[in-house]
Amino acid sequence: MSTLARRTLLGTAIFAVPLTAIAFVANAMASPADMRVVVNFMISLVLVLAIQSFSGNTGIISFGHLAFMGVGAYVAAIVTIDPVLKQDDLAGLPSFMAEHSVGFIPAVLLGGLVGGLVAGVLGVVLTRMREGAMAMATIGVLVIFFVVFDNWEGITRGNTGIAGIPQSTTVFAALVFALLAIAACRAFCESRFGLQLRGSRSDPVAAEALGSNVVRLRWVAWTLSGAIMGVGGALWAQYNIAVGPQQFFFEQTFPLLAMLVVGGLATVSGGVVGVFVITIVFEVVRRMEDDIGIPGLTQIVVAVLILVVLNRRPNGIMGGLEVDQVLARLRGRRRVEQEGGSQ
Amino acid sequence: MMVFAAAGQEAVQQAINALALGSTYALLALGLAMVFSVLGLVNFAHGELVAVSGYAMYLLHDAGLPFAVQVPAAIATGAIAALVMQRVVFRPLRGASFITLLISSFALSVLVQNGLRAIISPRQQGVPLPDFFNESVHLGPYVIGWLEIVTLASCVIALIVLTLFLRRSTQGLGMLAAAEDFQATRLMGISPNRVIAAAFAISGALAGLAAIFLVARRGTVDPGMGFMPLLSAFIAVVIGGLGSLSGAVVGGFVLAAIEVTLDATLPGSVQPFREAFALGIVVVILYFRPEGLLTRVSEAK
Amino acid sequence: MTTATLALRDVVKRFQGVVALDGVSLEVAEGEIVGLIGPNGSGKTTLLNIASGVNRPTEGRLVVGGVDATGRRPNQVAKLGVGRTFQQIRLFDDMTVHDNVLVGAVARGEDRDHVAPLLARLNLAAVADRVAVTLSYGDQRRVEIARALAGSPRFLLLDEPAAGMNESESDALLATIQAIREEQGCAVLIVDHDLRLMMRLCDRIHVLAEGRTICEGTPDKVRADPLVIEAYLGSAGAPAEPEPAGGQAS
């Protein structure tokens, strides 16, 4: 088996065990409120890993990815709601879209497809820029899409948003897509694209001198991550049954980036660990916030957590390593200790 | 002939609006660029300097103090808040990567915003300003608001003072040298800590000044008030070329010109999409000049 | 003239008005080892930057294997078979030695199993799993060479590979470069201040001073040339002094 396939399978399998266990336990005994937390956790994995597949490999942070999540979510909303509802609410739709609806899987795939297409077009311009300028230009992307979602009445229902989306994302569907996202992002990271990008992340001049077309590689990563983001948005819409422009703007960008950075931007495992840690912190503090009555406490706690983690561990909890590398090191250290003890 | 005169009059008025708006953007963009040039930090919390300065005006107004006191207080608050941010958050991160700094400032921005929300109130608070700002002057055929005049004049004065400081004083020359090549400051015997602190203090003071005009336009303050102006300043900085001080100022005026022009020319039905069109134009500019307007295309060493 | 050469023709390079290269022509033929020497600031690194597409010549042409590559991006020049190392080491610091070399291979569409023999060839097999930045200076230089070779270049440009090496390390480097030429058949253009190394290694030596060619020929011819002795060897008598850091843009 090739290195790529072996690492992808191992890296996915290590997370598959606990995630599957969580899904089964939640399915058996979780209250509706806890179930929401679990399903949104799985969907967040898809979203955070989508951002990781671009930012982690290129070293360029993106504030604009929620635009592609929004695209996926609106696409899924428009193609799944009952045609009767569309006639009243979404008058701007072309007739073939107004008269038909599709099921869960086609909606998810369409979300990913359109997310990828939109990202691909924007990426032509964005990936030509220097690293810092591109990061800031992604902010512009987020604002452009917010304005469009907020005002395109006939298609998005503007500020009101679209409600009445069938709730089709089950905990197991979310689990499957989370695992697919882990596998896809790990495979990309280990592929010739990911390898070259990680080289360019550390030294773009050296990477170009070796023959890497850094602009094109970044475009590939950007488009792929836009597609995965679209998938995540489609899953999200079909679980939370209503979409509106505010859900794809800055306030929602912050927790996703927090997850990525706290866990460790550079690796897929960092993304997974970050989603887990921040989800728990969010839930614990949110429950306290209701008791204590300080508005915004959750955001304050997460912000402080980010500042502390970045100060102590600039590469996040995982410190730039994949979980299988950590395990291999631990095994190596134990072997050394045992050998040392037997002498 | 009448139509022509009216169109010309309209154009002049639009131009003045663009200049007033652009000068506010320029103040914020210049502050961002100063900090970026010495520290490599794009400071997301710059918008919160505006908010904190705005709240200083609100608190003083609440305590019954006049506008003449609120103005210097806003500027001083911006400068002090920037120095505190620098010392507490960014100094320990010296030498960290671009992303680490960026995300830290993003977290700091969320922290301050929610801090204001928790300590004062999540709701808008009114800060009424002297009636003077609502009046206009008639200059020949043109009607110009005092607010626009004062904004523009203050910003121009601030830019001139800052330019003189940077070009004429030892400290200022050191900062300019640092903006060009930060390593050079050590060779010149200038303390990097002082240069960084000065850059933050100036950027905070400029944010405080901008806050006065933003509050004057809105008549209110709220915790998130710095955010949209900051976005515009970001875009201005990117248009001008990340790291270029004069580029930031030029970018501010270019962005304002685009926005005011679209405001005047777009048909009503697409008017809500104005921001998207403006950013679309910016993207087109960046497609042809990926390094920004004022950055020379640099060659790798 | 065969097509299997890397040629710079009448190259002029000005940086904001300052002339770094003033009409230099240089050719490296298949399988040849050509040395490039000259005092500090004579334009050696600029010449390598132009030969690898990192800098664009103000005037003149770059021709690689019969293809006019003037003005092409570094990655396009690399695709024509030009590999290089840097005076100030530019490894991918956070990646392992193995992965550094692997990137060099996949960037040019080479196979992954290309890496292990190269690591062995450059005596790096033992440190393959170490993170690049933790290696000694001499090891890091060899990783850069391995990484450049992983793309199977026809022309290898080395910018001061012996800098910071002691005598025995530089002897080993000499043997390695000769072996690379034998085994891979790739030509080498090398810049270094270690004249002991250069005189033994190079088939031909090209001497630059103030952006112009002052002498070109076999090591013996160069050693005897009065212009070279005056411009380079004569002044200090000990020309192996290292260039100060940061001087490479000159």
PDB file of all heavy atoms in Angstrom, chain A residues 59 61 63 128 130 136 139 143-144 147 151 250 265 299 303 310, chain B residues 44 99 102 104 107 110 114 227 231 234 272 279 286-287 290 298:
ATOM      1  N   GLY A  59      -0.652  27.892   4.730  1.00  0.00           N
ATOM      2  CA  GLY A  59      -0.213  28.865   5.720  1.00  0.00           C
ATOM      3  C   GLY A  59      -0.861  30.227   5.539  1.00  0.00           C
ATOM      4  O   GLY A  59      -0.423  31.204   6.127  1.00  0.00           O
ATOM      5  N   ILE A  61      -4.250  32.330   6.145  1.00  0.00           N
ATOM      6  CA  ILE A  61      -5.523  32.232   6.853  1.00  0.00           C
ATOM      7  C   ILE A  61      -6.631  32.786   5.972  1.00  0.00           C
ATOM      8  O   ILE A  61      -6.423  33.702   5.184  1.00  0.00           O
ATOM      9  CB  ILE A  61      -5.457  32.985   8.200  1.00  0.00           C
ATOM     10  CG1 ILE A  61      -6.538  32.485   9.145  1.00  0.00           C
ATOM     11  CG2 ILE A  61      -5.555  34.478   8.019  1.00  0.00           C
ATOM     12  CD1 ILE A  61      -6.265  31.139   9.726  1.00  0.00           C
ATOM     13  N   PHE A  63     -10.566  34.310   6.059  1.00  0.00           N
ATOM     14  CA  PHE A  63     -11.746  34.736   6.803  1.00  0.00           C
ATOM     15  C   PHE A  63     -12.985  34.606   5.937  1.00  0.00           C
ATOM     16  O   PHE A  63     -14.075  34.938   6.364  1.00  0.00           O
ATOM     17  CB  PHE A  63     -11.588  36.192   7.250  1.00  0.00           C
ATOM     18  CG  PHE A  63     -10.474  36.385   8.220  1.00  0.00           C
ATOM     19  CD1 PHE A  63      -9.214  36.759   7.796  1.00  0.00           C
ATOM     20  CD2 PHE A  63     -10.683  36.156   9.566  1.00  0.00           C
ATOM     21  CE1 PHE A  63      -8.177  36.932   8.697  1.00  0.00           C
ATOM     22  CE2 PHE A  63      -9.653  36.314  10.472  1.00  0.00           C
ATOM     23  CZ  PHE A  63      -8.400  36.703  10.039  1.00  0.00           C
ATOM     24  N   ARG A 128      -3.434  34.878  -6.788  1.00  0.00           N
ATOM     25  CA  ARG A 128      -2.313  35.626  -7.371  1.00  0.00           C
ATOM     26  C   ARG A 128      -1.656  36.547  -6.365  1.00  0.00           C
ATOM     27  O   ARG A 128      -0.562  37.037  -6.578  1.00  0.00           O
ATOM     28  CB  ARG A 128      -2.806  36.481  -8.544  1.00  0.00           C
ATOM     29  CG  ARG A 128      -2.953  35.719  -9.835  1.00  0.00           C
ATOM     30  CD  ARG A 128      -3.775  36.534 -10.817  1.00  0.00           C
ATOM     31  NE  ARG A 128      -3.327  37.923 -10.906  1.00  0.00           N
ATOM     32  CZ  ARG A 128      -2.584  38.397 -11.903  1.00  0.00           C
ATOM     33  NH1 ARG A 128      -2.228  37.610 -12.876  1.00  0.00           N
ATOM     34  NH2 ARG A 128      -2.232  39.659 -11.932  1.00  0.00           N
ATOM     35  N   ARG A 130      -0.044  38.151  -2.778  1.00  0.00           N
ATOM     36  CA  ARG A 130       0.853  37.755  -1.704  1.00  0.00           C
ATOM     37  C   ARG A 130       0.054  37.192  -0.536  1.00  0.00           C
ATOM     38  O   ARG A 130      -1.123  37.520  -0.374  1.00  0.00           O
ATOM     39  CB  ARG A 130       1.627  38.982  -1.206  1.00  0.00           C
ATOM     40  CG  ARG A 130       2.779  39.376  -2.076  1.00  0.00           C
ATOM     41  CD  ARG A 130       3.956  38.445  -1.811  1.00  0.00           C
ATOM     42  NE  ARG A 130       5.048  38.724  -2.725  1.00  0.00           N
ATOM     43  CZ  ARG A 130       5.982  39.631  -2.490  1.00  0.00           C
ATOM     44  NH1 ARG A 130       5.952  40.326  -1.377  1.00  0.00           N
ATOM     45  NH2 ARG A 130       6.931  39.836  -3.360  1.00  0.00           N
ATOM     46  N   MET A 136      -6.252  39.175   3.764  1.00  0.00           N
ATOM     47  CA  MET A 136      -7.151  40.303   3.992  1.00  0.00           C
ATOM     48  C   MET A 136      -8.220  40.396   2.921  1.00  0.00           C
ATOM     49  O   MET A 136      -9.347  40.809   3.196  1.00  0.00           O
ATOM     50  CB  MET A 136      -6.330  41.584   4.084  1.00  0.00           C
ATOM     51  CG  MET A 136      -5.446  41.537   5.314  1.00  0.00           C
ATOM     52  SD  MET A 136      -4.374  42.937   5.438  1.00  0.00           S
ATOM     53  CE  MET A 136      -5.556  44.206   5.782  1.00  0.00           C
ATOM     54  N   ILE A 139     -11.475  38.672   3.576  1.00  0.00           N
ATOM     55  CA  ILE A 139     -12.480  39.400   4.354  1.00  0.00           C
ATOM     56  C   ILE A 139     -13.482  40.037   3.402  1.00  0.00           C
ATOM     57  O   ILE A 139     -14.691  40.013   3.630  1.00  0.00           O
ATOM     58  CB  ILE A 139     -11.802  40.479   5.222  1.00  0.00           C
ATOM     59  CG1 ILE A 139     -10.833  39.833   6.202  1.00  0.00           C
ATOM     60  CG2 ILE A 139     -12.837  41.314   5.949  1.00  0.00           C
ATOM     61  CD1 ILE A 139      -9.938  40.830   6.915  1.00  0.00           C
ATOM     62  N   VAL A 143     -17.714  39.687   3.001  1.00  0.00           N
ATOM     63  CA  VAL A 143     -18.655  40.811   2.968  1.00  0.00           C
ATOM     64  C   VAL A 143     -19.484  40.777   1.680  1.00  0.00           C
ATOM     65  O   VAL A 143     -20.702  40.967   1.714  1.00  0.00           O
ATOM     66  CB  VAL A 143     -17.904  42.154   3.096  1.00  0.00           C
ATOM     67  CG1 VAL A 143     -18.874  43.318   2.979  1.00  0.00           C
ATOM     68  CG2 VAL A 143     -17.159  42.220   4.411  1.00  0.00           C
ATOM     69  N   ILE A 144     -18.833  40.499   0.543  1.00  0.00           N
ATOM     70  CA  ILE A 144     -19.569  40.451  -0.723  1.00  0.00           C
ATOM     71  C   ILE A 144     -20.717  39.447  -0.629  1.00  0.00           C
ATOM     72  O   ILE A 144     -21.864  39.750  -0.958  1.00  0.00           O
ATOM     73  CB  ILE A 144     -18.631  40.049  -1.897  1.00  0.00           C
ATOM     74  CG1 ILE A 144     -17.640  41.169  -2.190  1.00  0.00           C
ATOM     75  CG2 ILE A 144     -19.441  39.719  -3.146  1.00  0.00           C
ATOM     76  CD1 ILE A 144     -16.658  40.860  -3.313  1.00  0.00           C
ATOM     77  N   VAL A 147     -23.576  40.544   1.657  1.00  0.00           N
ATOM     78  CA  VAL A 147     -24.441  41.535   1.021  1.00  0.00           C
ATOM     79  C   VAL A 147     -25.393  40.852   0.028  1.00  0.00           C
ATOM     80  O   VAL A 147     -26.579  41.172  -0.031  1.00  0.00           O
ATOM     81  CB  VAL A 147     -23.585  42.613   0.315  1.00  0.00           C
ATOM     82  CG1 VAL A 147     -24.452  43.513  -0.544  1.00  0.00           C
ATOM     83  CG2 VAL A 147     -22.815  43.429   1.332  1.00  0.00           C
ATOM     84  N   ASN A 151     -29.571  40.539   0.430  1.00  0.00           N
ATOM     85  CA  ASN A 151     -30.377  41.413  -0.428  1.00  0.00           C
ATOM     86  C   ASN A 151     -31.028  40.751  -1.640  1.00  0.00           C
ATOM     87  O   ASN A 151     -31.860  41.374  -2.294  1.00  0.00           O
ATOM     88  CB  ASN A 151     -29.517  42.583  -0.929  1.00  0.00           C
ATOM     89  CG  ASN A 151     -29.159  43.524   0.189  1.00  0.00           C
ATOM     90  OD1 ASN A 151     -30.005  44.252   0.702  1.00  0.00           O
ATOM     91  ND2 ASN A 151     -27.911  43.491   0.608  1.00  0.00           N
ATOM     92  N   PHE A 250     -19.170  37.263  10.180  1.00  0.00           N
ATOM     93  CA  PHE A 250     -18.019  37.249  11.077  1.00  0.00           C
ATOM     94  C   PHE A 250     -18.256  36.532  12.396  1.00  0.00           C
ATOM     95  O   PHE A 250     -17.380  35.834  12.889  1.00  0.00           O
ATOM     96  CB  PHE A 250     -17.545  38.671  11.347  1.00  0.00           C
ATOM     97  CG  PHE A 250     -16.637  39.151  10.289  1.00  0.00           C
ATOM     98  CD1 PHE A 250     -17.125  39.865   9.217  1.00  0.00           C
ATOM     99  CD2 PHE A 250     -15.290  38.853  10.326  1.00  0.00           C
ATOM    100  CE1 PHE A 250     -16.293  40.279   8.208  1.00  0.00           C
ATOM    101  CE2 PHE A 250     -14.438  39.264   9.325  1.00  0.00           C
ATOM    102  CZ  PHE A 250     -14.944  39.982   8.268  1.00  0.00           C
ATOM    103  N   LEU A 265      -3.345  24.581  13.430  1.00  0.00           N
ATOM    104  CA  LEU A 265      -3.704  24.831  12.036  1.00  0.00           C
ATOM    105  C   LEU A 265      -3.040  23.857  11.059  1.00  0.00           C
ATOM    106  O   LEU A 265      -3.601  23.475  10.051  1.00  0.00           O
ATOM    107  CB  LEU A 265      -3.265  26.270  11.721  1.00  0.00           C
ATOM    108  CG  LEU A 265      -3.457  26.843  10.343  1.00  0.00           C
ATOM    109  CD1 LEU A 265      -4.941  27.027  10.081  1.00  0.00           C
ATOM    110  CD2 LEU A 265      -2.734  28.170  10.232  1.00  0.00           C
ATOM    111  N   GLN A 299     -18.042  34.009  24.427  1.00  0.00           N
ATOM    112  CA  GLN A 299     -17.078  34.591  23.480  1.00  0.00           C
ATOM    113  C   GLN A 299     -15.828  35.061  24.219  1.00  0.00           C
ATOM    114  O   GLN A 299     -14.719  34.889  23.742  1.00  0.00           O
ATOM    115  CB  GLN A 299     -17.716  35.794  22.766  1.00  0.00           C
ATOM    116  CG  GLN A 299     -18.991  35.467  22.038  1.00  0.00           C
ATOM    117  CD  GLN A 299     -18.742  35.209  20.576  1.00  0.00           C
ATOM    118  OE1 GLN A 299     -17.642  35.347  20.089  1.00  0.00           O
ATOM    119  NE2 GLN A 299     -19.770  34.801  19.857  1.00  0.00           N
ATOM    120  N   ALA A 303     -12.136  33.670  23.572  1.00  0.00           N
ATOM    121  CA  ALA A 303     -11.106  34.619  23.134  1.00  0.00           C
ATOM    122  C   ALA A 303      -9.874  34.532  24.039  1.00  0.00           C
ATOM    123  O   ALA A 303      -8.741  34.487  23.567  1.00  0.00           O
ATOM    124  CB  ALA A 303     -11.660  36.042  23.128  1.00  0.00           C
ATOM    125  N   LEU A 310      -2.212  30.419  22.122  1.00  0.00           N
ATOM    126  CA  LEU A 310      -1.246  30.918  21.141  1.00  0.00           C
ATOM    127  C   LEU A 310       0.019  31.414  21.818  1.00  0.00           C
ATOM    128  O   LEU A 310       1.109  31.338  21.264  1.00  0.00           O
ATOM    129  CB  LEU A 310      -1.859  32.045  20.309  1.00  0.00           C
ATOM    130  CG  LEU A 310      -2.884  31.593  19.286  1.00  0.00           C
ATOM    131  CD1 LEU A 310      -3.389  32.762  18.464  1.00  0.00           C
ATOM    132  CD2 LEU A 310      -2.296  30.539  18.355  1.00  0.00           C
TER     133      LEU A 310
ATOM    134  N   PHE B  44      -6.657  43.286  13.928  1.00  0.00           N
ATOM    135  CA  PHE B  44      -8.113  43.218  13.913  1.00  0.00           C
ATOM    136  C   PHE B  44      -8.727  44.057  15.019  1.00  0.00           C
ATOM    137  O   PHE B  44      -9.853  44.522  14.912  1.00  0.00           O
ATOM    138  CB  PHE B  44      -8.564  41.767  14.105  1.00  0.00           C
ATOM    139  CG  PHE B  44      -9.125  41.155  12.873  1.00  0.00           C
ATOM    140  CD1 PHE B  44      -8.347  40.335  12.090  1.00  0.00           C
ATOM    141  CD2 PHE B  44     -10.429  41.403  12.497  1.00  0.00           C
ATOM    142  CE1 PHE B  44      -8.868  39.767  10.943  1.00  0.00           C
ATOM    143  CE2 PHE B  44     -10.948  40.845  11.360  1.00  0.00           C
ATOM    144  CZ  PHE B  44     -10.165  40.019  10.577  1.00  0.00           C
ATOM    145  N   ILE B  99       0.111  34.522  11.018  1.00  0.00           N
ATOM    146  CA  ILE B  99      -1.195  33.966  11.370  1.00  0.00           C
ATOM    147  C   ILE B  99      -1.443  34.057  12.868  1.00  0.00           C
ATOM    148  O   ILE B  99      -2.524  34.443  13.305  1.00  0.00           O
ATOM    149  CB  ILE B  99      -1.283  32.483  10.938  1.00  0.00           C
ATOM    150  CG1 ILE B  99      -1.337  32.417   9.425  1.00  0.00           C
ATOM    151  CG2 ILE B  99      -2.492  31.824  11.545  1.00  0.00           C
ATOM    152  CD1 ILE B  99      -1.791  31.094   8.911  1.00  0.00           C
ATOM    153  N   LEU B 102      -2.296  37.546  13.701  1.00  0.00           N
ATOM    154  CA  LEU B 102      -3.608  37.914  13.147  1.00  0.00           C
ATOM    155  C   LEU B 102      -4.731  37.327  13.986  1.00  0.00           C
ATOM    156  O   LEU B 102      -5.687  38.019  14.364  1.00  0.00           O
ATOM    157  CB  LEU B 102      -3.682  37.403  11.702  1.00  0.00           C
ATOM    158  CG  LEU B 102      -4.836  37.885  10.840  1.00  0.00           C
ATOM    159  CD1 LEU B 102      -4.745  39.378  10.635  1.00  0.00           C
ATOM    160  CD2 LEU B 102      -4.794  37.191   9.486  1.00  0.00           C
ATOM    161  N   SER B 104      -4.564  36.242  17.055  1.00  0.00           N
ATOM    162  CA  SER B 104      -4.557  36.829  18.391  1.00  0.00           C
ATOM    163  C   SER B 104      -5.304  38.153  18.396  1.00  0.00           C
ATOM    164  O   SER B 104      -6.088  38.434  19.306  1.00  0.00           O
ATOM    165  CB  SER B 104      -3.126  37.069  18.870  1.00  0.00           C
ATOM    166  OG  SER B 104      -2.432  35.864  18.933  1.00  0.00           O
ATOM    167  N   ALA B 107      -8.950  37.505  18.246  1.00  0.00           N
ATOM    168  CA  ALA B 107      -9.461  37.119  19.566  1.00  0.00           C
ATOM    169  C   ALA B 107      -9.564  38.344  20.471  1.00  0.00           C
ATOM    170  O   ALA B 107     -10.553  38.511  21.200  1.00  0.00           O
ATOM    171  CB  ALA B 107      -8.560  36.067  20.199  1.00  0.00           C
ATOM    172  N   VAL B 110     -12.652  40.305  19.631  1.00  0.00           N
ATOM    173  CA  VAL B 110     -13.863  39.683  20.192  1.00  0.00           C
ATOM    174  C   VAL B 110     -13.929  39.938  21.697  1.00  0.00           C
ATOM    175  O   VAL B 110     -14.993  40.225  22.250  1.00  0.00           O
ATOM    176  CB  VAL B 110     -13.853  38.164  19.896  1.00  0.00           C
ATOM    177  CG1 VAL B 110     -14.965  37.457  20.646  1.00  0.00           C
ATOM    178  CG2 VAL B 110     -13.978  37.923  18.406  1.00  0.00           C
ATOM    179  N   ASN B 114     -16.956  42.086  23.430  1.00  0.00           N
ATOM    180  CA  ASN B 114     -17.847  41.449  24.402  1.00  0.00           C
ATOM    181  C   ASN B 114     -17.643  42.013  25.792  1.00  0.00           C
ATOM    182  O   ASN B 114     -18.567  42.010  26.604  1.00  0.00           O
ATOM    183  CB  ASN B 114     -17.660  39.935  24.379  1.00  0.00           C
ATOM    184  CG  ASN B 114     -18.307  39.319  23.163  1.00  0.00           C
ATOM    185  OD1 ASN B 114     -19.521  39.240  23.094  1.00  0.00           O
ATOM    186  ND2 ASN B 114     -17.514  38.943  22.184  1.00  0.00           N
ATOM    187  N   PHE B 227     -16.406  47.905  13.729  1.00  0.00           N
ATOM    188  CA  PHE B 227     -16.177  46.799  12.813  1.00  0.00           C
ATOM    189  C   PHE B 227     -16.263  47.177  11.337  1.00  0.00           C
ATOM    190  O   PHE B 227     -15.337  46.906  10.565  1.00  0.00           O
ATOM    191  CB  PHE B 227     -17.137  45.662  13.130  1.00  0.00           C
ATOM    192  CG  PHE B 227     -16.838  44.449  12.340  1.00  0.00           C
ATOM    193  CD1 PHE B 227     -15.671  43.748  12.583  1.00  0.00           C
ATOM    194  CD2 PHE B 227     -17.668  44.038  11.327  1.00  0.00           C
ATOM    195  CE1 PHE B 227     -15.352  42.638  11.833  1.00  0.00           C
ATOM    196  CE2 PHE B 227     -17.354  42.935  10.576  1.00  0.00           C
ATOM    197  CZ  PHE B 227     -16.197  42.237  10.831  1.00  0.00           C
ATOM    198  N   LEU B 231     -13.310  47.207   8.452  1.00  0.00           N
ATOM    199  CA  LEU B 231     -13.339  46.465   7.187  1.00  0.00           C
ATOM    200  C   LEU B 231     -12.917  47.372   6.040  1.00  0.00           C
ATOM    201  O   LEU B 231     -12.095  47.000   5.202  1.00  0.00           O
ATOM    202  CB  LEU B 231     -14.745  45.939   6.908  1.00  0.00           C
ATOM    203  CG  LEU B 231     -15.163  44.676   7.633  1.00  0.00           C
ATOM    204  CD1 LEU B 231     -16.478  44.173   7.071  1.00  0.00           C
ATOM    205  CD2 LEU B 231     -14.096  43.609   7.496  1.00  0.00           C
ATOM    206  N   PHE B 234      -9.257  47.945   6.171  1.00  0.00           N
ATOM    207  CA  PHE B 234      -8.539  46.765   5.661  1.00  0.00           C
ATOM    208  C   PHE B 234      -8.464  46.816   4.142  1.00  0.00           C
ATOM    209  O   PHE B 234      -7.412  46.634   3.544  1.00  0.00           O
ATOM    210  CB  PHE B 234      -9.290  45.484   6.042  1.00  0.00           C
ATOM    211  CG  PHE B 234      -8.916  44.943   7.390  1.00  0.00           C
ATOM    212  CD1 PHE B 234      -9.724  44.024   8.023  1.00  0.00           C
ATOM    213  CD2 PHE B 234      -7.753  45.334   8.024  1.00  0.00           C
ATOM    214  CE1 PHE B 234      -9.397  43.517   9.260  1.00  0.00           C
ATOM    215  CE2 PHE B 234      -7.409  44.838   9.258  1.00  0.00           C
ATOM    216  CZ  PHE B 234      -8.243  43.921   9.885  1.00  0.00           C
ATOM    217  N   PRO B 272     -28.855  48.179  -2.888  1.00  0.00           N
ATOM    218  CA  PRO B 272     -28.467  47.396  -1.704  1.00  0.00           C
ATOM    219  C   PRO B 272     -27.185  46.592  -1.909  1.00  0.00           C
ATOM    220  O   PRO B 272     -26.521  46.232  -0.951  1.00  0.00           O
ATOM    221  CB  PRO B 272     -29.648  46.448  -1.495  1.00  0.00           C
ATOM    222  CG  PRO B 272     -30.792  47.075  -2.198  1.00  0.00           C
ATOM    223  CD  PRO B 272     -30.220  47.856  -3.327  1.00  0.00           C
ATOM    224  N   LEU B 279     -16.575  46.151  -3.560  1.00  0.00           N
ATOM    225  CA  LEU B 279     -15.536  45.149  -3.330  1.00  0.00           C
ATOM    226  C   LEU B 279     -15.188  44.420  -4.612  1.00  0.00           C
ATOM    227  O   LEU B 279     -14.046  44.042  -4.839  1.00  0.00           O
ATOM    228  CB  LEU B 279     -15.983  44.161  -2.253  1.00  0.00           C
ATOM    229  CG  LEU B 279     -16.008  44.765  -0.852  1.00  0.00           C
ATOM    230  CD1 LEU B 279     -16.719  43.856   0.123  1.00  0.00           C
ATOM    231  CD2 LEU B 279     -14.603  45.044  -0.372  1.00  0.00           C
ATOM    232  N   LEU B 286      -7.175  44.525  -7.869  1.00  0.00           N
ATOM    233  CA  LEU B 286      -6.140  43.641  -7.334  1.00  0.00           C
ATOM    234  C   LEU B 286      -5.748  42.564  -8.334  1.00  0.00           C
ATOM    235  O   LEU B 286      -4.645  42.035  -8.290  1.00  0.00           O
ATOM    236  CB  LEU B 286      -6.607  43.003  -6.035  1.00  0.00           C
ATOM    237  CG  LEU B 286      -6.711  43.978  -4.868  1.00  0.00           C
ATOM    238  CD1 LEU B 286      -7.329  43.305  -3.662  1.00  0.00           C
ATOM    239  CD2 LEU B 286      -5.346  44.541  -4.506  1.00  0.00           C
ATOM    240  N   TYR B 287      -6.681  42.237  -9.253  1.00  0.00           N
ATOM    241  CA  TYR B 287      -6.319  41.249 -10.261  1.00  0.00           C
ATOM    242  C   TYR B 287      -5.190  41.801 -11.130  1.00  0.00           C
ATOM    243  O   TYR B 287      -4.259  41.092 -11.489  1.00  0.00           O
ATOM    244  CB  TYR B 287      -7.530  40.905 -11.127  1.00  0.00           C
ATOM    245  CG  TYR B 287      -7.234  39.842 -12.152  1.00  0.00           C
ATOM    246  CD1 TYR B 287      -7.168  38.508 -11.768  1.00  0.00           C
ATOM    247  CD2 TYR B 287      -6.980  40.160 -13.469  1.00  0.00           C
ATOM    248  CE1 TYR B 287      -6.870  37.523 -12.686  1.00  0.00           C
ATOM    249  CE2 TYR B 287      -6.681  39.185 -14.400  1.00  0.00           C
ATOM    250  CZ  TYR B 287      -6.629  37.864 -14.000  1.00  0.00           C
ATOM    251  OH  TYR B 287      -6.326  36.893 -14.911  1.00  0.00           O
ATOM    252  N   PRO B 290      -1.751  42.850  -8.143  1.00  0.00           N
ATOM    253  CA  PRO B 290      -1.890  41.994  -6.954  1.00  0.00           C
ATOM    254  C   PRO B 290      -1.125  42.537  -5.743  1.00  0.00           C
ATOM    255  O   PRO B 290      -1.430  42.179  -4.619  1.00  0.00           O
ATOM    256  CB  PRO B 290      -1.297  40.656  -7.385  1.00  0.00           C
ATOM    257  CG  PRO B 290      -1.100  40.725  -8.847  1.00  0.00           C
ATOM    258  CD  PRO B 290      -1.110  42.163  -9.256  1.00  0.00           C
ATOM    259  N   SER B 298       8.154  43.764  -6.156  1.00  0.00           N
ATOM    260  CA  SER B 298       9.495  43.532  -5.611  1.00  0.00           C
ATOM    261  C   SER B 298      10.080  42.251  -6.177  1.00  0.00           C
ATOM    262  O   SER B 298       9.370  41.334  -6.550  1.00  0.00           O
ATOM    263  CB  SER B 298       9.403  43.427  -4.097  1.00  0.00           C
ATOM    264  OG  SER B 298       8.507  42.395  -3.760  1.00  0.00           O
TER     265      SER B 298
END
